[in-house]
Amino acid sequence: MANLKSNFIGIESPNPFWLASAPPTDKAYNVNRAFEAGWGGVVWKTLGEDGPPLVNVNGPRYEAWHAGDRRVMGLNNIELITDRPLQTNLSEIKQVKQDWPDRAMVVSLMVPCEEQAWKDILLQVEDTGADGVELNFGCPHGMSERGMGAAVGQVPEYIEMVTQWCKQYSSLPVIVKLTPNITDIRHAARAAKAGGADAVSMINTINSIMSVDLDSFSINPSVGGKGTHGGYCGQAVKPIALNMVAEVARDEQTADLPISGIGGICSWRDAAEFLALGAGNVQVCTAAMIYGFKVVDDMIEGLSDFMDDKGMQAVDELVGQAVSQVTDWKYLDLNYIVKAQIDQDKCIQCGRCHVVCEDTSHQAITQQKNGERHFEVIEEECVGCNLCVSVCPVVDCISLRQLIKGEVDKRTGLTVLDIHGDWTSHPNNPAQGT
């Protein structure tokens, strides 16, 4: 069987599945239950500086976006960092680490952008026996308005400066958590590396307003009739997170910077995709909040079975496997041509493919044949866009067939060549490099 043991920047855990810094990691009770369920590690919910605890709202903190069957596709939260006393958290962290020495214990931190504040809290965290710290430069609401969280993560100079402080005053591995609320996440990752970060974690939540109540016109979640932007997470953010992980993993300046992948991981498949795109481990939050801690069982079993099928013995063999397949648009192969084809035995004659192609694409699917309801692809019009495949309700009813060398594309009249590479010199490219 595949060995799921993880060694991420020197932090060992029995598997690569960690719980992200969030409500599920707010106290010892939750974390103990998580470890009993099988999670490999946790990032303890973000701690702030010593003093009066922060006050969270006592009304709704979450708002969900549901699919038609009530599955939660996305979750918005307006919760701040921990509202429990610092010393209580530190005491519990120390005890949990003693009780679970084989599990990863990373502590998330967020204090004012002042050197002494970071020095003070780092020394206290080290005394707990924690395995590492994660610098929360991503929280997009509440704390960012106080000059912390995303307010730091959106300024590369601040990222580098605070990371340097943390490396100076602590011997613990430092993970920098990046905000997705930025134009180009590579700049933030480069700054973290320049500051000496041992790794980055991404992505934190995305700025969002979830919905408007069209009767009261209040913003959801509504607190006394008022609402605010919050952090968006869950399955719906996965494509955004995957792209950002890939961007950092394939950037020449940060390609060797370890990544802890976060964002919409709900299954072993999601985790495997993050690992393949360069993440060394993954952090999960929303899936646990929707399904409970036992969701990790399927993740562990599924990833293990997948690795067995691929002949992989260790998680590191999967990490980065897909990075080389990500490229810039200009390097896509314009000699790769496909056409849609419909399996008539599977077709239920719903007509969705015809409607969307006729109304919004290339009018490449006929509706009738011999007066009967019947759908076929017109290859002379088909550009292989994949829209019909995407909307078809029957799995594998519509597929894409690749044209082979020597075959003529009926739409363009060009012959498929056995040439691959840079589109700028491609003989089928009329722009010829312009």
Side-chain angles (χ1 to χ4, degrees):
M1 292 181 62
N3 184 354
L4 294 189
K5 287 185 178 179
S6 171
N7 186 323
F8 183 73
I9 60 171
I11 302 174
E12 296 185 349
S13 56
N15 60 65
F17 299 104
W18 294 3
L19 282 172
S21 169
T25 62
D26 186 38
K27 60 179 75 71
Y29 178 83
N30 301 75
V31 174
N32 281 322
R33 284 179 60 85
F35 286 160
E36 289 167 2
W39 290 89
V42 301
V43 181
W44 198 277
K45 184 171 170 62
T46 307
L47 309 183
E49 62 183 337
D50 207 357
L54 289 171
V55 178
N56 266 294
V57 296
N58 291 308
R61 300 180 184 184
Y62 314 122
E63 182 73 18
W65 174 62
H66 296 97
D69 58 1
R70 285 290 292 178
R71 281 181 302 128
V72 176
M73 303 302 294
L75 198 67
N76 171 287
N77 89 88
I78 58 171
E79 184 167 300
L80 302 180
I81 64 175
T82 184
D83 52 13
R84 304 167 70 235
L86 176 62
Q87 295 307 316
T88 299
N89 278 295
L90 293 171
S91 176
E92 291 185 4
I93 291 168
K94 184 174 184 177
Q95 186 61 54
V96 172
K97 182 58 186 176
Q98 290 176 353
D99 294 341
W100 299 90
D102 68 324
R103 307 303 171 93
M105 172 64 74
V106 175
V107 181
S108 177
L109 301 175
M110 183 195 298
V111 296
C113 205
E114 301 166 359
E115 186 171 0
Q116 189 63 46
W118 282 98
K119 180 180 180 181
D120 290 344
I121 198 166
L122 285 164
L123 296 175
Q124 294 180 80
V125 170
E126 281 210 27
D127 289 341
T128 67
D131 298 305
V133 293
E134 183 180 79
L135 315 185
N136 187 342
F137 294 159
C139 183
H141 56 273
M143 305 309 297
S144 58
E145 296 158 19
R146 309 175 193 208
M148 293 178 276
V152 177
Q154 291 167 339
V155 184
E157 292 80 6
Y158 292 170
I159 295 174
E160 181 176 352
M161 177 179 69
V162 177
T163 303
Q164 286 177 338
W165 292 341
C166 293
K167 291 299 295 180
Q168 177 182 351
Y169 295 117
S170 176
S171 61
L172 294 175
V174 173
I175 304 170
V176 174
K177 192 172 188 178
L178 303 181
T179 176
N181 303 299
I182 194 169
T183 303
D184 189 338
I185 201 164
R186 293 176 299 178
H187 296 304
R190 292 168 185 169
K193 182 178 179 180
D198 297 281
V200 292
S201 57
M202 64 176 81
I203 59 173
N204 209 312
T205 52
I206 301 170
N207 263 335
S208 61
I209 289 180
M210 206 61 170
S211 62
V212 177
D213 185 318
L214 293 179
D215 291 321
S216 65
F217 296 108
S218 61
I219 305 300
N220 295 318
S222 178
V223 181
K226 295 289 186 180
T228 185
H229 74 273
Y232 192 45
C233 58
Q235 191 172 355
V237 311
K238 174 188 161 188
I240 299 169
L242 284 176
N243 174 64
M244 292 190 171
V245 167
E247 286 296 282
V248 172
R250 71 189 188 96
D251 180 45
E252 290 184 358
Q253 298 185 42
T254 56
D256 60 344
L257 183 63
I259 300 170
S260 184
I262 313 171
I265 299 167
C266 299
S267 69
W268 72 264
R269 288 181 174 273
D270 297 330
E273 291 176 26
F274 273 84
L275 294 170
L277 280 175
N281 74 354
V282 294
Q283 297 183 33
V284 179
C285 171
T286 309
M289 294 182 71
I290 297 170
Y291 302 112
F293 287 148
K294 293 297 287 182
V295 71
V296 76
D297 283 344
D298 289 338
M299 294 182 179
I300 292 172
E301 182 179 357
L303 183 61
S304 179
D305 289 346
F306 169 77
M307 290 172 57
D308 284 341
D309 289 342
K310 295 293 185 181
M312 297 179 178
Q313 300 297 314
V315 173
D316 286 347
E317 294 179 48
L318 175 56
V319 174
Q321 285 288 336
V323 174
S324 63
Q325 306 301 314
V326 184
T327 189
D328 296 335
W329 194 99
K330 66 181 179 180
Y331 298 118
L332 296 179
D333 182 4
L334 294 193
N335 201 48
Y336 178 79
I337 302 172
V338 295
K339 301 291 181 180
Q341 57 184 8
I342 301 172
D343 186 334
Q344 298 299 334
D345 291 334
K346 294 181 179 180
C347 181
I348 60 174
Q349 311 299 329
C350 68
R352 291 184 63 185
C353 60
H354 165 71
V355 170
V356 298
C357 190
E358 192 73 13
D359 286 353
T360 70
S361 293
H362 298 276
Q363 299 76 51
I365 298 179
T366 60
Q367 182 176 11
Q368 292 182 340
K369 182 179 182 181
N370 299 326
E372 297 180 359
R373 189 173 177 83
H374 184 87
F375 302 94
E376 288 189 355
V377 175
I378 308 171
E379 288 203 356
E380 291 85 346
E381 303 297 337
C382 180
V383 300
C385 71
N386 204 49
L387 179 60
C388 57
V389 178
S390 301
V391 303
C392 180
V394 180
V395 176
D396 295 331
C397 175
I398 306 178
S399 59
L400 298 179
R401 178 184 69 86
Q402 182 182 356
L403 272 60
I404 62 175
K405 179 183 177 181
E407 192 171 355
V408 176
D409 179 1
K410 295 179 181 179
R411 188 178 68 88
T412 63
L414 297 173
T415 301
V416 176
L417 305 175
D418 189 20
I419 294 177
H420 304 276
D422 188 344
W423 73 278
T424 58
S425 60
H426 199 290
N428 282 359
N429 175 29
Q432 284 296 322
T434 59

